[in-house]
Amino acid sequence: MLTTVLKKQTAGVVPPKDLTLPLNTILDIDHLETLLKDQDYKNEMIVYLGTVGGCDVQTTTRRVMSSLLVNSLALQLSWKGSGEKRSFQDLILCKVVIAAVHRSAPEQVTNAAVEAAIKVWLRNARDRDGGRKERMLRRHTQNQV
């Protein structure tokens, strides 16, 4: 019965209009932030991202973040926004991600758990898309010289 209710709630869920995911640039984030100021649009986005799913809080958060941002954009963000990086915690999008994970995760979720998973995902951006392998190869070639 629960499965039937969930299917009805998420049937026909499509990305909100005027949006192409994943986001590629800071300008895309700025555009989305403007759109998210409209409460109806924000709710549509939460419902859409809430359909991503996952087996636990960390997996759900990673899947939501990966569906939102390309890795090159994630490299330009951090939780607090230190240095040249932009703060993710100050974005409306952060609140949307937290709400979507609350909606999607199969267990009780705290904001702190979602925030911790976002921090880890942002921190590890440089390791994705071959970044770790590239650093290891550079380190290996420097040691041989």
Side-chain angles (χ1 to χ4, degrees), residues 102-123:
H102 274 283
R103 179 180 175 87
S104 179
E107 64 211 40
Q108 277 296 78
V109 178
T110 64
N111 287 359
V114 180
E115 289 170 3
I118 292 170
K119 290 173 189 177
V120 169
W121 189 85
L122 290 170
R123 191 176 325 120

Side-chain angles (χ1 to χ4, degrees), residues 24-42:
N24 292 295
T25 66
I26 293 291
L27 291 175
D28 292 342
I29 288 178
D30 292 338
H31 175 68
L32 180 56
E33 285 291 297
T34 302
L35 294 171
L36 290 173
K37 289 178 182 174
D38 174 32
Q39 190 61 43
D40 291 335
Y41 193 90
K42 184 177 176 181

Side-chain angles (χ1 to χ4, degrees), residues 12-132:
V13 174
V14 294
K17 58 186 174 291
D18 301 327
L19 181 66
T20 302
L21 291 177
L23 304 174
N24 292 295
T25 66
I26 293 291
L27 291 175
D28 292 342
I29 288 178
D30 292 338
H31 175 68
L32 180 56
E33 285 291 297
T34 302
L35 294 171
L36 290 173
K37 289 178 182 174
D38 174 32
Q39 190 61 43
D40 291 335
Y41 193 90
K42 184 177 176 181
N43 290 338
E44 284 180 45
M45 190 71 172
I46 291 168
V47 169
Y48 173 70
L49 292 174
T51 63
V52 172
C55 60
D56 57 24
V57 176
Q58 291 80 16
T59 304
T60 303
T61 304
R62 280 195 310 268
R63 289 173 52 96
V64 168
M65 294 296 290
S66 294
S67 70
L68 277 175
L69 309 171
V70 296
N71 199 57
S72 59
L73 180 54
L75 288 167
Q76 298 174 50
L77 302 168
S78 69
W79 182 252
K80 290 199 179 255
S82 61
E84 298 287 317
K85 295 188 177 191
R86 184 149 177 204
S87 170
F88 189 77
Q89 75 174 349
D90 296 334
L91 299 174
I92 300 169
L93 184 57
C94 179
K95 292 170 186 58
V96 169
V97 169
I98 292 169
V101 173
H102 274 283
R103 179 180 175 87
S104 179
E107 64 211 40
Q108 277 296 78
V109 178
T110 64
N111 287 359
V114 180
E115 289 170 3
I118 292 170
K119 290 173 189 177
V120 169
W121 189 85
L122 290 170
R123 191 176 325 120
N124 292 332
R126 61 183 249 176
D127 287 344
R128 290 190 291 273
D129 295 342
R132 179 179 291 188

